[in-house]
Amino acid sequence: MKNTERIANLALAGLTLAPLVVKIDPNLNVVLTACLTVFVGCYRSVKPTPPTETMSNEHAMRFPFVGSAMLLSLFLLFKFLSKDLVNTVLTGYFFVLGIVALSATLLPSIKRFLPKHWNEDLIVWRFPYFRSLEIEFTRSQIVAAIPGTFFCAWYALRKHWLANNILGLAFCIQGIEMLSLGSFKTGAILLAGLFVYDIFWVFFTPVMVSVAKSFDAPIKLLFPTSDSARPFSMLGLGDIVIPGIFVALALRFDVSRGKQPQYFKSAFLGYTAGLVLTIIVMNWFQAAQPALLYIVPAVIGFLAAHCIWNGDVKQLLEFDESKTANSSQEEINDKSSKKVE
């Protein structure tokens, strides 16, 4: 882990815990936490081999419709069923999901202190009565899951805002690290679709705000305020993960060219500017704002302007991680065949 990444991880951990001991302006806390999370997730997404599975243009076009269906379903569940019942079921779901996300987030730090064979030797466990279903894991993953399990149990019992935020940050980091858009064209399609999605559900219906307030699960970050009437400011995880995977793609594009991060810096600066603008408008009108309304144009605009200025438009549009992954696999196969010969 490089010094910059280590500092970002420590800063994010400190900022998450800081409201327990000192008062932090919630607006500043929102911006710093979101930006640090994107930064950490982006650098964790850079791996020796490109991702083998990437999002297609069709998936990107379909995503806003799937998201709308899920959002409306949750709204109807809260409307016609007991809020406590729905949240109890969701708590059980996020308990399991939280263990997986938190253990995966902690694993790189923990595995350095464990024997090498604990990190490499796979254990295969098959479900009883369903022998075709199996799970593969290492001893290191079991060790990482132990603190994750205790932490998720604390969250399920107490629902403390700190537990909510730590799980939310783990989901964000894992989302940015593991999801790949594949190409900037696919990324632009996804961001454009969710740009419209966010505007529609926030400005034209009460659905998104209602679900965000009713949904007692780590799908949003909570930032303590000094206002008793509004004890927390909120930021949805989607406002971090969706732009974050686009910014991460810009970083991997820089890495694939063997250059110092440059387009990553412009995309990251665009995300920061868009988030700051969201906070300004929200405070000006004293009303909830669709963050992607400001973040999407800023991220795409900053990156496009930088790319046009450098004359790298063609290279950026032609970049495709799925093709890079295939070529990398072919190189590995060629090396293996030479060794056999």
Side-chain angles (χ1 to χ4, degrees), residues 149-163:
T149 302
F150 282 107
F151 188 88
C152 289
W154 175 52
Y155 165 76
L157 292 172
R158 300 295 181 183
K159 294 293 182 77
H160 194 276
W161 65 264
L162 177 62

Side-chain angles (χ1 to χ4, degrees), residues 60-283:
M61 292 177 190
R62 205 178 299 141
F63 195 90
F65 297 101
V66 175
S68 296
M70 291 179 65
L71 183 66
L72 189 57
S73 298
L74 284 170
F75 177 75
L76 294 174
L77 282 174
F78 282 116
K79 187 178 180 67
F80 295 108
L81 295 178
S82 167
K83 180 180 174 181
D84 293 335
L85 174 63
V86 175
N87 278 319
T88 299
V89 174
L90 291 172
T91 296
Y93 172 74
F94 278 96
F95 176 83
V96 177
L97 204 61
I99 294 173
V100 175
L102 199 55
S103 60
T105 304
L106 294 173
L107 186 61
S109 300
I110 292 175
K111 66 192 301 183
R112 292 181 296 166
F113 303 101
L114 298 175
K116 187 177 180 181
H117 68 276
W118 281 34
N119 301 325
E120 297 176 351
D121 296 345
L122 286 175
I123 299 170
V124 180
W125 184 78
R126 289 182 173 84
F127 285 84
Y129 308 110
F130 299 95
R131 307 299 290 178
S132 59
L133 296 176
E134 61 182 34
I135 301 175
E136 293 183 349
F137 52 87
T138 63
R139 291 179 178 86
S140 298
Q141 289 173 319
I142 296 174
V143 173
I146 294 172
T149 302
F150 282 107
F151 188 88
C152 289
W154 175 52
Y155 165 76
L157 292 172
R158 300 295 181 183
K159 294 293 182 77
H160 194 276
W161 65 264
L162 177 62
N164 175 90
N165 284 7
I166 291 176
L167 286 177
L169 292 174
F171 290 140
C172 287
I173 291 170
Q174 287 304 304
I176 296 171
E177 178 182 354
M178 303 304 296
L179 296 175
S180 172
L181 292 169
S183 69
F184 288 98
K185 293 178 184 177
T186 303
I189 292 170
L190 179 67
L191 290 185
L194 291 174
F195 171 81
V196 177
Y197 161 92
D198 217 21
I199 293 172
F200 175 77
W201 289 112
V202 173
F203 281 153
F204 297 100
T205 74
V207 173
M208 183 159 316
V209 175
S210 175
V211 170
K213 290 180 178 179
S214 302
F215 205 145
D216 190 11
I219 60 162
K220 57 186 179 292
L221 300 183
L222 302 174
F223 302 93
T225 70
S226 56
D227 185 358
S228 57
R230 191 172 62 95
F232 295 102
S233 290
M234 296 186 297
L235 180 67
L237 301 192
D239 298 327
I240 299 175
V241 176
I242 298 302
I245 58 178
F246 189 85
V247 178
L249 183 66
L251 176 60
R252 295 195 297 275
F253 173 64
D254 288 333
V255 172
S256 71
R257 303 171 76 206
K259 296 183 178 182
Q260 289 294 319
Q262 55 174 357
Y263 292 119
F264 164 71
K265 291 179 180 178
S266 57
F268 184 76
L269 182 61
Y271 177 76
T272 305
L275 191 58
V276 170
L277 184 58
T278 305
I279 298 296
I280 292 172
V281 175
M282 182 184 69
N283 283 285

Side-chain angles (χ1 to χ4, degrees), residues 21-33:
V21 291
V22 295
K23 287 184 178 181
I24 300 179
D25 181 79
N27 296 323
L28 179 64
N29 202 353
V30 167
V31 174
L32 292 179
T33 300

